[in-house]
Amino acid sequence: MEIDFWLERWDNNQTGFHQQQVNPYLAYFYGNKGPAVEQREKLKVFVPLAGKSKDMLWLSQNSYKVFAVECSDRAVKDFFEDNALNYKHAAKEQHALYQSSDLPSLIEIFQGDFFELQQEDLDDVTDIFDRASLVALPVEMRQDYAKKMAELQKPGVRTLLVTLTFDPEEMNGPPFSVTEEEVNDLYSETFSIQKLLVKNVIEEEAGLKKRGLTALDETVYKLVRK
Ligand SMILES: C[S@@+](CC[C@H](N)C(=O)[O-])C[C@H]1O[C@@H](n2cnc3c(N)ncnc32)[C@H](O)[C@@H]1O
């Protein structure tokens, strides 16, 4: 899916992937199950292909620093405006950097192409929350995405990766089905992989059911850059 596809979706309000609620896995693994509150301000969570996800707000409200990338300026502005956050922005050639200006909320969004990020952009990132990013990309792009992720991360960076698995004969993506085998193929050389949970979510995804899915599993993995 090239960037123009996504910009058009934002322009036409075709944003069915956007969740009104904070992602439950984020709240679980970074909340009570996660690091103690006093540890969190040392942690910076990267949110790739972020859209205007409420997850960024939750992270910031729960003492994490946030760095995100999103190609649509509409999505980025909506994120700050919908959440009544003041922001400043600096435009560069191919991208812009948006930053919340209400302390203590520390949210930085790189508005541009994920594939243009440089290692130094993720210098102090300790964690990554990847929901609906890997599954937003078709198979060839997923290989480039995983390779880029490995290039960007320092050893020890942890990722919470949320994927969807379904019969691809039943529905064209996005979202795309990503199997456990593919996660292993994409990441096992450069990351350790732990499968944390699998949940049958077909009844929670009315939109995808309407598009033809009869079964849908959500899987959460923890990856650690080797
Ligand atoms: C399926 S949505 C997921 C959004 C978000 N993670 C969430 O949970 O709501 C994928 C997002 O990635 C953005 N996107 C797609 N390709 C991108 C790229 N190459 N660089 C930056 N953003 C991209 C799209 O504009 C879209 O908002």
Side-chain angles (χ1 to χ4, degrees):
M1 282 356 335
E2 299 303 331
I3 281 183
D4 284 348
F5 166 89
W6 291 103
L7 297 182
E8 206 179 307
R9 291 201 57 170
W10 279 103
D11 282 346
N12 297 328
N13 285 321
Q14 291 172 312
T15 53
F17 51 80
H18 178 68
Q19 294 183 322
Q20 296 305 331
Q21 312 297 334
V22 173
N23 185 272
Y25 306 121
L26 178 77
Y28 182 73
F29 288 109
Y30 290 72
N32 287 345
K33 272 268 163 191
V37 177
E38 57 279 11
Q39 292 295 319
R40 294 182 191 168
E41 55 199 38
K42 297 184 205 131
L43 304 177
K44 186 171 192 176
V45 183
F46 174 49
V47 184
L49 282 58
K52 57 172 182 176
S53 109
K54 296 262 182 216
D55 303 332
M56 296 184 276
L57 185 68
W58 185 93
L59 283 163
S60 149
Q61 287 172 336
N62 284 275
S63 310
Y64 295 95
K65 296 184 204 100
V66 178
F67 176 64
V69 61
E70 166 56 47
C71 61
S72 158
D73 67 335
R74 165 88 195 278
V76 178
K77 286 181 185 150
D78 278 3
F79 168 74
F80 285 109
E81 287 164 16
D82 292 356
N83 295 302
L85 292 170
N86 291 312
Y87 64 92
K88 47 190 181 181
H89 103 281
K92 301 246 170 81
E93 273 167 31
Q94 301 289 331
H95 69 269
L97 193 65
Y98 287 74
Q99 285 177 299
S100 56
S101 47
D102 302 316
L103 288 170
S105 111
L106 284 169
I107 304 175
E108 273 184 342
I109 306 182
F110 176 107
Q111 182 254 311
D113 186 353
F114 164 82
F115 292 97
E116 284 176 11
L117 284 173
Q118 303 297 315
Q119 217 176 28
E120 55 268 26
D121 295 318
L122 268 74
D123 236 1
D124 45 359
V125 162
T126 54
D127 293 85
I128 298 179
F129 181 62
D130 180 330
R131 181 255 159 193
S133 311
L134 182 66
V135 299
L137 303 171
V139 64
E140 325 75 57
M141 286 185 85
R142 293 200 287 275
Q143 287 167 7
D144 296 340
Y145 176 87
K147 199 166 155 227
K148 182 77 185 176
M149 274 297 198
E151 276 167 29
L152 290 172
Q153 293 175 44
K154 289 185 177 154
V157 172
R158 301 165 290 246
T159 298
L160 201 66
L161 169 68
V162 183
T163 62
L164 293 171
T165 312
F166 55 87
D167 178 356
E169 298 282 313
E170 291 186 343
M171 185 186 85
N172 291 324
F176 295 94
S177 176
V178 175
T179 61
E180 184 174 353
E181 188 187 5
E182 184 179 347
V183 169
N184 284 321
D185 286 349
L186 290 174
Y187 293 107
S188 61
E189 211 174 288
T190 39
F191 293 84
S192 68
I193 304 173
Q194 185 187 357
K195 187 159 86 172
L196 299 177
L197 65 93
V198 186
K199 189 173 172 221
N200 173 348
V201 291
I202 188 65
E203 295 310 328
E204 293 161 37
E205 292 290 349
L208 300 182
K209 206 171 166 185
K210 213 161 142 198
R211 282 170 64 185
L213 290 194
T214 56
L216 177 66
D217 279 347
E218 196 163 52
T219 309
V220 183
Y221 301 89
K222 180 180 177 182
L223 311 181
V224 182
R225 181 72 171 97
K226 289 179 193 165

